C-alpha cells in the first residue's frame, strides 16, 4: 500500500513539474518566480522547488543577475528533436484534405523553388476544377495569388532574382513593394482571372519556425461559385493554415 502511494505521489510530482515546464514554454521570455508560481497554480515555495529540479535536469535556467527563469538547453534540445520528427508537408496535406471535405473547394499547395513557386500537391474538390496546371507546374511570383504570398512572406533576398526576371517595364519597384506590403497586411492574396480566365484564386501562407512561408494553400474556384461563400471558405482556410503552422512548430510573423 505504501509503495502504491509513493508511486502516485511520484506521478503527481512529474505532472506538476511538466506543468511548470509548460508555463516556461508559454511565456514570451524570462519570468520571475511569482509570475511562474501564479501561472502554475503553485505557491512560491512549491514553484521554487520544481524550478530547482528542472534546473538540475537542464530543462530550465536562472539568470544569476536578475534571478529570472527561462527554458534551459535541455528543453530546447527536446523541442528541436520533436520538430525534426514533424513532417510539415504531411501535416499540411492532412489539414487541407479535411478543408476540402468540409467546403468542397479545390486546393493547390505550392513551395518556392529557385525559379519561382512550384505546385507540389492538388487536392481536388467538387465539382472538379478544369485547368492546365498540375503537380510540378511553375507559377509566376508577381501575377498569381500563390506568388504574392511568397513575395510577401519570404526574405527579399530569396525572391529578388525572380522579381527582377518577371518585372515588366511598366511595373516599378515601388509597385512591387506596395504589393508586398498589402499582402503582408491582409495576410492572404486573392486574384480573379489574372493567370487563368474565369478562375478565382485565394492563397494563404503556412509558416515555419523562422516565421517564413514554407507552403502556400491556394483555394481555387470558378465564377459559378457564390462569392459570399468564398469569403466564408477563405476564413476557414486561414484557420486551417494557422492550425497547421502551430502543429508544426511554425510562427506567424507580426506585421
Amino acid at each position: 500500500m505504501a509503495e502504491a502511494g509513493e508511486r502516485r505521489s511520484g506521478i503527481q510530482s512529474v505532472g506538476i513539474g511538466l506543468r511548470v515546464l509548460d508555463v516556461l514554454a508559454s511565456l514570451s521570455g524570462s519570468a520571475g518566480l511569482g509570475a511562474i508560481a501564479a501561472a502554475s497554480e503553485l505557491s512560491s515555495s512549491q514553484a521554487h522547488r520544481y524550478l530547482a529540479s528542472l534546473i538540475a535536469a537542464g530543462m530550465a535556467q536562472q539568470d544569476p543577475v536578475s534571478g529570472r527563469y527561462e527554458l534551459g538547453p535541455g528543453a530546447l534540445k527536446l523541442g528541436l528533436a520533436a520538430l525534426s520528427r514533424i513532417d510539415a508537408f504531411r501535416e499540411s496535406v492532412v489539414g487541407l484534405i479535411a478543408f476540402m471535405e468540409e467546403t468542397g473547394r479545390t486546393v493547390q499547395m505550392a513551395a518556392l523553388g529557385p525559379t519561382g513557386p512550384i505546385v507540389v500537391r492538388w487536392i481536388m474538390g467538387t465539382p472538379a476544377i478544369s485547368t492546365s496546371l498540375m503537380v510540378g507546374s511553375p507559377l509566376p511570383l508577381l501575377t498569381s495569388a500563390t506568388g504574392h504570398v511568397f513575395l510577401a512572406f519570404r526574405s527579399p533576398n530569396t525572391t529578388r532574382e525572380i522579381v527582377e526576371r518577371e518585372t515588366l517595364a511598366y511595373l516599378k519597384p515601388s509597385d512591387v513593394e506596395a504589393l508586398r506590403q498589402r499582402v503582408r497586411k491582409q495576410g492572404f492574396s486573392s486574384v480573379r482571372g489574372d493567370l487563368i480566365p474565369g478562375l478565382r484564386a485565394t492563397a494563404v501562407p503556412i509558416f515555419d519556425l523562422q516565421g517564413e512561408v514554407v507552403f502556400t494553400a491556394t483555394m481555387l474556384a470558378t465564377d459559378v461559385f457564390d462569392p459570399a461563400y468564398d469569403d466564408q471558405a477563405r476564413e476557414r482556410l486561414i484557420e486551417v493554415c494557422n492550425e497547421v503552422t502551430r502543429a508544426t512548430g511554425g510562427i506567424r510573423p507580426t506585421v
Side-chain angles (χ1 to χ4, degrees):
M1 183 70 72
E3 183 179 340
E6 290 174 0
R7 186 163 57 249
R8 283 195 299 271
S9 178
I11 293 171
Q12 183 181 29
S13 294
V14 170
I16 296 173
L18 290 174
R19 192 166 80 218
V20 174
L21 187 62
D22 184 61
V23 167
L24 287 173
S26 66
L27 296 172
S28 57
S30 61
L33 176 61
I36 295 170
S40 304
E41 299 180 347
L42 299 171
S43 68
S44 293
S45 61
Q46 287 175 313
H48 183 268
R49 288 199 300 272
Y50 282 101
L51 285 166
S53 296
L54 291 172
I55 290 171
M59 305 300 285
Q61 57 188 356
Q62 183 180 25
D63 186 284
V65 177
S66 68
R68 296 168 71 86
Y69 298 87
E70 60 183 328
L71 289 176
L76 297 178
K77 180 180 178 181
L78 189 64
L80 290 173
L83 283 175
S84 71
R85 289 164 172 77
I86 294 175
D87 186 337
F89 181 82
R90 176 178 54 81
E91 293 289 336
S92 299
V93 170
V94 169
L96 294 176
I97 288 176
F99 168 80
M100 180 277 294
E101 292 173 344
E102 178 183 341
T103 65
R105 293 304 173 90
T106 294
V107 184
Q108 161 200 288
M109 273 181 64
L112 186 64
T115 60
I118 301 291
V119 178
V120 296
R121 183 66 187 259
W122 272 97
I123 302 170
M124 192 65 74
T126 305
I129 298 292
S130 178
T131 172
S132 60
L133 297 176
M134 62 187 71
V135 172
S137 294
L139 295 168
L141 194 75
L142 300 180
T143 55
S144 70
T146 297
H148 292 170
V149 171
F150 283 115
L151 175 69
F153 292 104
R154 287 296 286 266
S155 165
N157 292 333
T158 307
T159 58
R160 182 174 292 112
E161 289 186 6
I162 305 171
V163 169
E164 291 174 353
R165 185 169 59 250
E166 292 188 12
T167 298
L168 303 175
Y170 65 85
L171 195 63
K172 298 177 292 187
S174 58
D175 296 328
V176 175
E177 180 59 22
L179 171 62
R180 191 179 81 88
Q181 293 297 337
R182 175 174 60 79
V183 175
R184 281 187 68 87
K185 183 176 181 180
Q186 65 185 19
F188 65 91
S189 178
S190 291
V191 301
R192 181 171 183 171
D194 291 25
L195 187 61
I196 300 176
L199 194 66
R200 299 199 305 273
T202 298
V204 179
I206 295 171
F207 296 101
D208 63 16
L209 78 169
Q210 297 186 92
E212 289 199 338
V213 56
V214 61
F215 295 115
T216 56
T218 302
M219 177 180 71
L220 303 174
T222 64
D223 286 332
V224 301
F225 279 94
D226 180 5
Y229 184 62
D230 267 1
D231 292 341
Q232 298 176 30
R234 181 194 67 224
E235 292 305 310
R236 180 60 186 138
L237 181 60
I238 291 172
E239 291 176 359
V240 169
C241 290
N242 286 341
E243 289 167 3
V244 172
T245 292
R246 287 191 294 269
T248 55
I251 301 171
R252 186 176 184 86
T254 56
V255 179

